[in-house]
Amino acid sequence: MPTESEMFEKGFQNRKAVLGAAHVETSWENADDFNRPAQRLVTEYCWGEVWGDTTLPFRTRSLINLAMLTAMNQHHELAVHVKGALNNGVTPQEIQAVLLQAMVYCGAPAALAAFRTTSIAIKEWHAQQDAGRLPESK
Amino acid sequence: MPTESEMFEKGFQNRKAVLGAAHVETSWENADDFNRPAQRLVTEYCWGEVWGDTTLPFRTRSLINLAMLTAMNQHHELAVHVKGALNNGVTPQEIQAVLLQAMVYCGAPAALAAFRTTSIAIKEWHAQQDAGRLPESK
Amino acid sequence: MPTESEMFEKGFQNRKAVLGAAHVETSWENADDFNRPAQRLVTEYCWGEVWGDTTLPFRTRSLINLAMLTAMNQHHELAVHVKGALNNGVTPQEIQAVLLQAMVYCGAPAALAAFRTTSIAIKEWHAQQDAGRLPESK
Amino acid sequence: MPTESEMFEKGFQNRKAVLGAAHVETSWENADDFNRPAQRLVTEYCWGEVWGDTTLPFRTRSLINLAMLTAMNQHHELAVHVKGALNNGVTPQEIQAVLLQAMVYCGAPAALAAFRTTSIAIKEWHAQQDAGRLPESK
Amino acid sequence: MPTESEMFEKGFQNRKAVLGAAHVETSWENADDFNRPAQRLVTEYCWGEVWGDTTLPFRTRSLINLAMLTAMNQHHELAVHVKGALNNGVTPQEIQAVLLQAMVYCGAPAALAAFRTTSIAIKEWHAQQDAGRLPESK
Amino acid sequence: MPTESEMFEKGFQNRKAVLGAAHVETSWENADDFNRPAQRLVTEYCWGEVWGDTTLPFRTRSLINLAMLTAMNQHHELAVHVKGALNNGVTPQEIQAVLLQAMVYCGAPAALAAFRTTSIAIKEWHAQQDAGRLPESK
């Protein structure tokens, strides 16, 4: 992995801390020439500049992201950040509370769509956790 | 003021706690037949159901609202909730951090517009605080 | 089913009247702890407060919903409300007219996406109607 | 006024019927080279193709437009179409009902913003009606 | 195919020039009564009025469309117009540059979603090109 | 002006080249502690990373920005970028063509709003050009 800049390094660490090291390393390695500049910009700009600013803790940034992604109907990223939120120690009850807040501010259809995406993502996250806890031996 | 329901009462208290009692009472009294049902629904559902749910503290709900209102370009409500956030103990640095997070997730134009609205609202809030601290005597 | 409130009861009746009793009862029974509060809020707030207000007939509320859901690109709810509109006596020609109106006001891509969702939903509704009319005997 | 096409003529008549002949003729005459092609396209496609399709009556098209314009936060056009709706025989109570429906589907901030725009537009429409009913003589 | 109007004819030619004659003719023939008026309006209005205006070359109109479709999250049309852009001589590098510009102006989630759609569309376009170049003989 | 980074420097030069040196230097100097980090991020990422990528010429980037800003209803930035587009050699006829393209893809209300903002911005730009050409002497 080429070291692009200090900000990229900082972002890459934050991204791995929130989304899981294996997942992030694989997706960076799998990026092709068409997608790599976008991956680099996101790593620097989202994960370095923003998540690297300690004014707000990761838990709070997760809640804010879930709210904005619901408001903008960005369901791929919502699923990614639901798992990130759980990694950051956000509880399913807190995620539910964010989505209910979104229901009255962003409208019922946007919130119901987010509930569908989020239910699945929470179940996937639990399955991944359970798989991770399985004994390696047979 | 007619007591509409328990949920309305709960919402009315929360609304006054966040936005200031005098402001909320005046705007309820000034509502006409055309606007009153909307004011009632907002009081019950936003301020009663959502803000009345203690899963998230007021400070966190404020940060989430600033993020969603920026994402949806709702500048009238953004100004209202910037002042509410400051009343809830959110610092200008934390508001700034939310808007910078919005910049990378919602785009630069949405965030820059929110910075303009927010700068003015923070100054107005400080002016109102200073006015409130003036000695009553002459 | 726990009786939550009068408004919930009113909403639950309206929801069944528009979307079909069997469908609504099943989805309420299948709601889990994560989704139930959202289902309750939607039932009270959308189906009780709004659909329970007789200022506009159900047919008109259906047309308005199709327009708003197209404008907001909410395709899951659009499919649900296309079927509800047909249950409310809206004709496919009227649905088409709403979507063509949306084309010039919301842009061609939003309307074309709504046409795709709606075409499928109308066909599904007809298939369900046909299935419901089949003789039980053999 | 150059006759552009049959569809333009049909649209121009519909536009005048809904928004008022004097208003529409003045704004067409005042269009400059930069704006005229947009005015022509809107007259042909919105007012000719869409409003010229009799599947839905003008009253219903007005309600649908108010809903879509609220959903999209298009406040200039919302004010224009509130006045058009009143010209088409829609009552303020029906407009209120559309905006309350928008509140739960599009979110409270979008609906509250629409209530502000609409309140002003209804008052302006009444003032114009009163002015129009004044005796010409002195 | 019924000749609807001169503008329709002009639009139909432009649509075929950008999206491929076989594709456009098939989709027009397959349109049913429900979809045909929308297809006609799009052909006249998008492809006749707009693409028929020579102020901007097709290549530039393609870049503008990719940007707007990304901003509005219209992924079905985005995939269609990525292929149209390649047909118009736009390079993958230029498409990438548009999406990176969208990243900072529309936000990272909108741009990342567009990158996913676009990557697939570019691969499909290349596969279609390769298939078209295959020798007919065996 | 503190030199923040090479990318900031590159962005600051591009920003001045498009929007005018005096305007950009004044607004950077006037930024306060609340707004400065946003100004820095915009300068680095929008004007450095994106506008600094030579895959697309400035003229084309201007057209793309006008389209995206119209699609997102970002009128403050739209006015700024209309003037930038004229500085980059885009003609009013080309701007008109972009807005007419936006009319069919983003809907008539979004485009009509953009026409109002753009008309004013073009007149202001011409007034500034005329003022700049006035003889200093009297």
Side-chain angles (χ1 to χ4, degrees), chain C:
Chain C
M1 192 197 77
T3 301
E4 306 246 350
S5 73
E6 253 179 78
M7 189 55 81
F8 180 89
E9 276 308 310
K10 185 178 175 178
F12 203 73
Q13 296 309 318
N14 286 333
R15 194 173 188 175
K16 288 194 289 187
V18 174
L19 303 185
H23 167 75
V24 172
E25 274 163 12
T26 304
S27 77
W28 177 255
E29 279 154 25
N30 290 346
D32 59 16
D33 286 352
F34 188 70
N35 298 305
R36 196 172 297 110
Q39 290 292 318
R40 182 182 66 74
L41 212 54
V42 164
T43 303
E44 264 187 58
Y45 188 38
C46 295
W47 292 101
E49 296 278 1
V50 167
W51 286 78
D53 165 11
T54 56
T55 307
L56 296 173
F58 276 13
R59 268 176 53 85
T60 304
R61 291 213 182 272
S62 278
L63 297 173
I64 286 167
N65 256 17
L66 299 181
M68 292 193 299
L69 294 166
T70 298
M72 297 188 296
N73 297 295
Q74 292 292 354
H75 286 269
H76 181 94
E77 292 299 311
L78 180 59
V80 169
H81 280 280
V82 165
K83 293 174 189 174
L86 295 167
N87 288 338
N88 286 336
V90 173
T91 65
Q93 288 69 30
E94 290 172 316
I95 295 176
Q96 186 190 49
V98 172
L99 299 190
L100 291 170
Q101 185 165 345
M103 182 170 275
V104 296
Y105 287 97
C106 311
L112 291 174
F115 266 102
R116 282 189 295 275
T117 294
T118 299
S119 283
I120 294 168
I122 292 176
K123 279 168 195 158
E124 286 179 358
W125 184 83
H126 280 302
Q128 288 160 1
Q129 296 296 102
D130 291 348
R133 275 200 299 270
L134 285 180
E136 298 290 319
S137 61
K138 265 175 279 181

Side-chain angles (χ1 to χ4, degrees), chain B residues 49-130:
Chain B
E49 294 277 1
V50 168
W51 286 78
D53 165 11
T54 56
T55 308
L56 297 172
F58 276 14
R59 268 176 53 85
T60 304
R61 292 215 182 270
S62 279
L63 297 174
I64 287 168
N65 257 16
L66 299 181
M68 292 193 300
L69 293 166
T70 297
M72 299 190 295
N73 297 294
Q74 292 291 354
H75 286 268
H76 181 94
E77 292 299 311
L78 179 58
V80 169
H81 280 281
V82 165
K83 293 174 189 175
L86 295 167
N87 288 337
N88 285 337
V90 174
T91 65
Q93 286 70 29
E94 289 171 317
I95 295 176
Q96 185 191 51
V98 172
L99 299 190
L100 291 171
Q101 186 166 344
M103 182 169 274
V104 296
Y105 287 96
C106 311
L112 291 174
F115 266 103
R116 282 189 296 275
T117 295
T118 299
S119 283
I120 294 168
I122 291 176
K123 280 168 195 157
E124 286 178 359
W125 184 84
H126 279 302
Q128 288 160 2
Q129 295 296 103
D130 291 347

